[in-house]
């Protein structure tokens, strides 16, 4: 891998040298008006706002996060088309996303986060000012990208227009939820060129399963320096500590999907060991963003992030069923409701370095507006930990789970896992607007990826070139049809359930859509259909681990999203998603993939009173319909169909004064018990949760 490191060093140096030479050449030139950087932390490099991109992309604002009272980020897309949310239930400390029937990559401030097992960053929602989403395959942005798409979290930083402003917030709610948060932006110089922002929060709450909980402490100081009117540097730091008793939401199909002879399992049943189970996760982050405008349409951007995660996790879990002598699944009721258990154990650290540097050239004349981006990025990840899925502990009983609590757990056989992964990417993108009507996008990217596991002396290496192309026609009356082709490439980190390194995961996707900005209505409407083929996708092995699929997975779907303002104080959202995901073996036999509902519908509306006794009160209601999905083939109830479910959410917000805001959110107001998904296990959906906030903004 020394060659890759040399290539990376040379590539980064070339771009930095070009930028440095151009900056030096500018010394003594006349300074122009201040440029407001509106894309700090963004993954959208080509300058187009999401709705005008020839693909399914969306930006979720801070105001939208607040209106939904999002304190756990996999709740963010309840009313976004294409998402299947919390398919594994409402975990205490993990965000679960499925987009277009596949997992997504996550990033912070435009740089992808490292993800492996319990070393997946748990991003704090209060520290964000926006979330960007690209649905579907996209290798151009990060290189290593999962098949479902990309989610980028833009953290808060010190903007000039926020100097002297801030927020204090208190939170209380069901499940013993409580929290405090603060946010303030200030300046260190009279000319406001050197600014700082400090964001801090503490949030604690119990999980949906008996005896589980999590407490999160978060602090993120940032510093922004306007070196000149054309040059800006931002230092980003963060620390987060999560501690609690992890959830054990893996339940057998008998008693959840179908009733057992003794009925259904209570949704708060904990088949783990809340006395012995524990987890502590510490995250440290530091990085920078640098931008410089050379004039004449040429600009340079550079960013870097260092992340260090220390994780200690020990949690018991039950097997999904009892077993016959030949290891075929057996209903727990046939074995006296006794289930064998194992212990998942992780103790170690993960360190990652990620950097991205690119030049942008904007050119326009009477008939052409063109944006060209050329860049290179590099990431280096290291894992050093004791890790095992199969520590030993006692059996438990499905209807008397406390017999499995406070039992001995033996994790002494956990092997020492040492993994290093590196990836270097070169990319070239061009976006051209012809005659103010046609938008053509083209992209090519080459990645060199390598991964080593030193304990078992395994190595996997792959070089891959990805392509993308899109065309949008901006027709009269706000109608914008488009077509796009995109690819994604990912070399998953870690050892599979077969104790081998994963195969590369490659996706090719076609998308046809229409984006509509009506002249007769304040809002946007988008329609998209897609087809995708995944090779090397990760699938469950039936024992809580994943392996690379030997067969391709074919996905197709249809999405509708409408966000409108009917009047100045009445808003509405409608999201519809159809997804079909199935594998096809060498004989052409199709098998539907688990966990993915065929149909989902979400709709919400909010009304703000502007006069009378209810002045300054906003009330809202939302409805979410989760269509049927299926269980894994070969499970206890192989390919059984899950029932659909509908839940209702309520919201009320009252502006006591322009500065004091009170808000109440109730999700699943009817406390509907439903199964959100099944593979070999089944997972209950989130139960009713009520939260009240009081915030003071100044």
């Amino acid at each position: 891998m020394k060659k890759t490191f040399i290539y990376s060093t040379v590539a980064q140096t070339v771009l930095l040298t070009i930028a440095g030479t151009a900056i030096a050449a500018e010394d003594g030139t006349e300074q122009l008006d201040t440029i407001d950087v509106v894309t700090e932390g963004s993954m959208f490099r080509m300058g187009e706002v999401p709705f005008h991109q020839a693909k399914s992309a969306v930006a979720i604002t801070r105001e939208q996060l607040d209106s939904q009272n999002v304190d756990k980020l996999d709740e963010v897309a309840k009313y976004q088309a294409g998402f299947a949310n919390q398919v594994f239930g409402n975990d205490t400390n993990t965000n679960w996303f499925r987009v277009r029937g596949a997992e997504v990559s996550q990033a912070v401030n435009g740089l992808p986060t490292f993800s492996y097992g319990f070393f997946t960053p748990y991003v704090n929602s209060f520290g964000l000012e926006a979330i960007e989403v690209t649905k579907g395959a996209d290798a151009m942005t990060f290189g290593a990208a999962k098949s479902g798409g990309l989610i980028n979290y833009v953290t808060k930083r010190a903007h000039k227009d926020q100097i002297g402003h801030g927020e204090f917030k208190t939170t209380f709610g069901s499940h013993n939820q409580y929290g405090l948060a603060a946010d303030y932006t200030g300046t260190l110089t009279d000319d406001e060129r050197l600014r700082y922002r400090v964001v801090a929060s503490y949030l604690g709450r119990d999980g949906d399963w008996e005896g589980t909980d999590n407490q999160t402490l978060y602090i993120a100081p940032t510093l922004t320096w306007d070196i000149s009117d054309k040059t800006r540097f931002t230092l980003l730091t963060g620390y987060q500590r999560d501690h609690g008793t992890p959830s054990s939401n893996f339940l057998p199909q008998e008693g959840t999907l179908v009733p057992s002879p003794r009925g259904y399992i209570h949704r708060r049943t904990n088949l783990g060991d809340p006395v012995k189970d524990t987890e502590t996760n510490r995250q440290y982050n530091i990085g920078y963003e640098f931008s410089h405008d050379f004039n004449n349409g040429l600009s340079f951007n550079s960013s870097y992030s260092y992340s260090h995660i220390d994780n200690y996790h020990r949690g018991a879990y039950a097997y999904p069923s009892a077993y016959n002598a030949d290891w075929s699944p057996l209903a727990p009721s046939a074995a006296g409701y006794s289930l064998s258990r194992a212990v998942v154990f992780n103790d170690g650290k993960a360190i990652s370095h990620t950097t991205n540097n690119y030049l942008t050239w904007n050119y326009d004349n009477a008939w052409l507006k063109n944006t060209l981006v050329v860049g290179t990025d590099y990431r280096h990840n290291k894992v050093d930990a004791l890790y095992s899925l199969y520590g030993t502990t006692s059996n438990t009983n499905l209807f008397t789970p406390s017999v499995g609590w406070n039992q001995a757990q033996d994790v002494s056989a956990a092997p020492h896992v040492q993994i290093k992964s590196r990836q270097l990417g070169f990319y070239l993108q061009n976006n051209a607007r012809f005659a103010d009507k046609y938008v053509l996008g083209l992209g090519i990217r080459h990645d060199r990826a390598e991964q080593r596991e030193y304990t078992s002396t395994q190595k996997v290496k792959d070089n891959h070139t990805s392509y993308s192309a899109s065309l949008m026609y901006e027709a009269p009356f706000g109608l914008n049809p488009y077509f796009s082709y995109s690819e994604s490439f990912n070399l998953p980190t870690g050892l599979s359930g077969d104790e081998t390194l994963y195969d590369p995961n490659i996706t090719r996707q076609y998308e046809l859509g229409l984006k509509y900005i009506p002249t007769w209505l304040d809002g946007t409407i988008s329609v998209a259909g897609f087809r995708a083929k995944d090779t090397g996708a990760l699938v469950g092995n039936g024992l809580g681990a994943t392996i690379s699929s030997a067969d391709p997975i074919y996905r197709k779907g249809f999405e509708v999203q409408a966000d409108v303002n009917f009047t100045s104080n009445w808003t509405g959202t409608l999201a519809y998603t159809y997804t079909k995901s199935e594998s096809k073996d060498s004989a052409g036999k199709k098998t539907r993939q688990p966990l993915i509902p065929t149909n989902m519908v979400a709709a919400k509306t909010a009304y703000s009173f502007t006069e009378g006794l209810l002045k300054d009160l906003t009330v809202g209601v939302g409805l979410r319909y989760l269509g049927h999905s299926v269980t894994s083939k070969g499970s206890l109830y192989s390919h059984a169909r899950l029932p659909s479910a509908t839940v209702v959410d309520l919201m009320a917000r009252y502006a006591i004064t322009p500065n004091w805001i009170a808000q109440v959110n109730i999700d699943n107001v009817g406390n509907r018990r439903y199964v959100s998904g099944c593979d070999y296990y089944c997972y209950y959906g989130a139960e009713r949760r009520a939260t009240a906030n009081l915030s003071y903004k100044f």
Side-chain angles (χ1 to χ4, degrees):
M1 199 61 187
K2 291 182 178 179
K3 289 184 178 180
T4 299
F5 178 76
I6 293 172
Y7 295 151
S8 172
T9 303
V10 172
Q12 310 291 336
T13 302
V14 167
L15 279 180
L16 290 170
T17 301
I18 293 173
T21 303
I23 293 172
E26 275 203 354
D27 289 345
T29 61
E30 181 181 357
Q31 292 184 341
L32 302 180
D33 293 337
T34 300
I35 292 180
D36 292 324
V37 180
V38 296
T39 57
E40 292 175 297
S42 175
M43 69 176 177
F44 298 137
R45 290 189 292 254
M46 304 307 293
E48 295 281 1
V49 297
F51 197 78
H52 289 278
Q53 297 180 24
K55 58 183 178 182
S56 293
V58 64
I60 301 170
T61 65
R62 180 71 246 177
E63 289 73 21
Q64 290 173 299
L65 294 175
D66 288 339
S67 67
Q68 274 188 226
N69 190 30
V70 172
D71 56 29
K72 190 170 183 296
L73 286 171
D74 56 5
E75 303 168 344
V76 70
K78 290 177 180 177
Y79 296 94
Q80 286 290 334
F83 279 79
N85 297 292
Q86 298 184 333
V87 294
F88 298 110
N90 187 23
D91 210 333
T92 53
N93 56 5
T94 305
N95 293 313
W96 298 107
F97 294 101
R98 287 289 188 277
V99 179
R100 294 187 170 180
E103 291 189 2
V104 297
S105 296
Q106 299 182 60
V108 176
N109 297 321
L111 294 174
T113 57
F114 175 67
S115 177
Y116 169 60
F118 296 100
F119 294 119
T120 300
Y122 186 55
V123 179
N124 185 278
S125 62
F126 184 75
L128 303 181
E129 60 184 34
I131 299 176
E132 300 172 332
V133 179
T134 293
K135 303 172 188 177
D138 183 348
M140 292 305 304
T141 303
F142 300 144
K146 297 180 180 179
S147 304
L150 314 173
I151 297 179
N152 180 47
Y153 307 108
V154 182
T155 61
K156 293 176 177 177
R157 65 275 316 280
H159 301 286
K160 263 190 176 181
D161 60 354
Q162 294 175 342
I163 292 175
H165 297 285
E167 177 183 7
F168 294 103
K169 181 179 179 181
T170 60
T171 301
F172 300 95
S174 60
H175 296 74
N176 294 316
Q177 182 169 337
Y178 57 95
L180 294 170
D183 175 12
Y184 180 73
T185 301
T187 180
L188 298 174
T189 58
D190 292 338
D191 60 6
E192 299 180 345
R193 284 185 177 273
L194 190 60
R195 305 178 297 278
Y196 67 90
R197 188 169 186 173
V198 179
V199 181
S201 71
Y202 178 84
L203 182 67
R205 64 178 177 183
D206 294 342
D208 284 359
W209 297 271
E210 187 173 359
T212 63
D213 66 295
N214 188 62
Q215 297 86 42
T216 300
L217 173 66
Y218 171 79
I219 182 168
T222 67
L223 187 70
T224 297
W225 179 23
D226 294 337
I227 302 172
S228 73
D229 292 339
K230 315 293 286 183
T231 308
R232 177 172 294 172
F233 176 85
T234 298
L235 178 69
L236 301 160
T237 68
Y239 168 77
Q240 182 170 322
R241 178 184 183 271
D242 288 275
H243 175 73
T245 303
S247 57
S248 183
N249 48 325
F250 300 87
L251 299 173
Q253 294 176 4
E254 185 187 49
T256 53
L257 177 62
V258 299
S260 74
R262 292 184 58 179
Y264 287 101
I265 302 170
H266 194 278
R267 76 168 99 196
R268 293 189 58 81
T269 296
N270 187 346
L271 298 180
D273 188 340
V275 179
K276 291 291 183 68
D277 295 348
T278 185
E279 180 173 41
T280 299
N281 191 75
R282 294 181 177 89
Q283 304 171 197
Y284 312 83
N285 302 282
I286 187 169
Y288 74 81
E289 294 174 356
F290 175 83
S291 63
H292 180 76
D293 191 331
F294 301 125
N295 297 328
N296 300 317
L298 184 65
S299 62
F300 173 73
N301 289 79
S302 176
S303 57
Y304 165 79
S305 176
Y306 167 81
S307 174
H308 182 116
I309 301 176
D310 286 319
N311 178 273
Y312 182 90
H313 179 106
R314 188 180 69 242
Y317 67 95
Y319 286 166
S321 62
Y323 295 93
N324 292 301
D326 60 357
W327 289 103
S328 59
L330 180 69
S333 57
Y337 299 103
S338 178
L339 290 176
S340 299
R341 292 190 302 171
V343 179
V344 59
F345 177 69
N346 187 80
D347 183 13
K349 63 183 179 181
I351 297 173
S352 64
H353 302 265
T354 309
T355 184
N356 184 25
N357 300 282
Y358 62 92
L359 286 165
T360 303
W361 181 44
N362 289 298
Y363 170 80
D364 63 87
N365 57 29
W367 63 275
L368 173 66
K369 182 179 180 181
N370 195 82
T371 299
L372 175 68
V373 174
V374 57
T376 176
D377 54 28
Y378 178 71
R379 72 190 70 179
H380 182 165
N381 307 309
K382 179 182 178 181
V383 172
D384 189 347
L386 298 174
Y387 177 69
S388 175
L389 284 172
Y390 306 114
T392 60
T393 189
S394 65
N395 286 12
T396 191
N397 186 279
L398 200 56
F399 287 95
T400 316
S402 59
V403 301
W405 297 356
N406 200 23
Q407 300 298 306
Q409 297 179 346
D410 185 359
V411 295
S412 60
H416 188 192
V417 177
Q418 299 180 84
I419 299 173
K420 285 186 180 180
S421 62
R422 297 174 179 175
Q423 181 168 322
L424 171 66
F426 306 91
Y427 55 88
L428 177 68
Q429 290 177 268
N430 194 80
N431 194 72
R433 181 184 298 272
F434 301 92
D436 266 347
K437 293 182 179 179
Y438 305 94
V439 183
L440 176 65
L442 298 171
I444 183 171
R445 179 184 176 104
H446 180 72
D447 287 284
R448 305 172 65 88
E450 180 179 299
Q451 187 176 154
R452 293 174 182 264
E453 205 292 307
Y454 288 88
T455 301
S456 57
T457 63
Q458 298 184 60
K459 176 181 175 181
V460 61
K461 181 178 180 180
D462 193 35
N463 299 332
H464 185 77
T465 301
S466 305
Y467 305 90
S468 69
S470 64
L471 178 64
M472 174 180 280
Y473 172 56
E474 296 187 344
F477 311 112
L479 291 168
N480 304 323
Y482 69 90
F483 173 79
S484 69
Y485 169 78
S486 59
E487 300 178 357
S488 69
F489 163 73
N490 183 39
L491 189 60
T493 300
L495 295 174
S496 72
D498 295 334
E499 298 300 321
T500 60
L501 293 173
Y502 293 103
D503 298 330
N505 176 206
I506 297 172
T507 296
R508 294 175 173 85
Q509 175 186 278
Y510 298 88
E511 181 174 333
L512 181 65
L514 174 68
K515 299 190 176 183
Y516 180 38
I517 306 176
T519 56
W520 50 273
L521 183 65
D522 179 16
T524 59
I525 301 171
S526 62
V527 179
F530 73 92
R531 284 182 175 271
K533 178 184 177 181
D534 308 326
T535 56
L538 302 188
V539 294
N541 70 344
L543 295 174
T546 55
I547 57 175
S548 298
S549 175
D551 303 317
I553 292 177
Y554 297 85
R555 296 178 289 113
K556 63 181 179 181
F558 179 75
E559 301 161 1
V560 178
Q561 181 80 35
D563 298 284
V564 299
N565 298 315
F566 300 112
T567 67
S568 60
N569 56 339
W570 182 24
T571 64
T573 293
L574 173 66
Y576 169 72
T577 304
Y578 167 82
T579 309
K580 187 174 184 180
S581 177
E582 54 191 14
S583 61
K584 186 186 296 185
D585 62 22
S586 57
K589 186 176 180 180
K590 297 179 180 179
T591 301
R592 184 176 170 185
Q593 295 298 297
L595 298 172
I596 308 303
T598 302
N599 294 282
M600 290 178 291
V601 181
K604 67 175 181 178
T605 186
Y607 185 84
S608 299
F609 295 91
T610 57
E611 56 186 25
L613 293 176
L614 299 179
K615 186 177 183 293
D616 298 323
L617 174 66
T618 299
V619 293
V621 60
L623 181 146
R624 292 178 282 131
Y625 169 79
L626 184 72
H628 75 273
S629 58
V630 298
T631 64
S632 291
K633 186 177 181 180
S635 63
L636 177 62
Y637 299 106
S638 180
H639 257 205
R641 175 170 169 153
L642 277 67
S644 60
T646 302
V647 298
V648 176
D649 306 326
L650 297 178
M651 181 274 287
R653 181 174 62 251
Y654 181 61
I656 304 170
T657 71
N659 301 97
W660 288 94
I661 307 295
Q663 181 171 317
V664 176
N665 291 76
I666 306 177
D667 293 338
N668 190 6
V669 65
N671 206 22
R672 171 74 183 273
R673 182 188 63 82
Y674 66 99
V675 177
S676 59
C678 293
D679 41 29
Y680 290 85
Y681 291 95
C682 282
Y683 313 93
Y684 278 137
E687 58 189 36
R688 179 171 54 219
R689 186 173 296 273
T691 306
N693 295 320
L694 179 64
S695 64
Y696 174 69
K697 297 183 179 182
F698 58 95

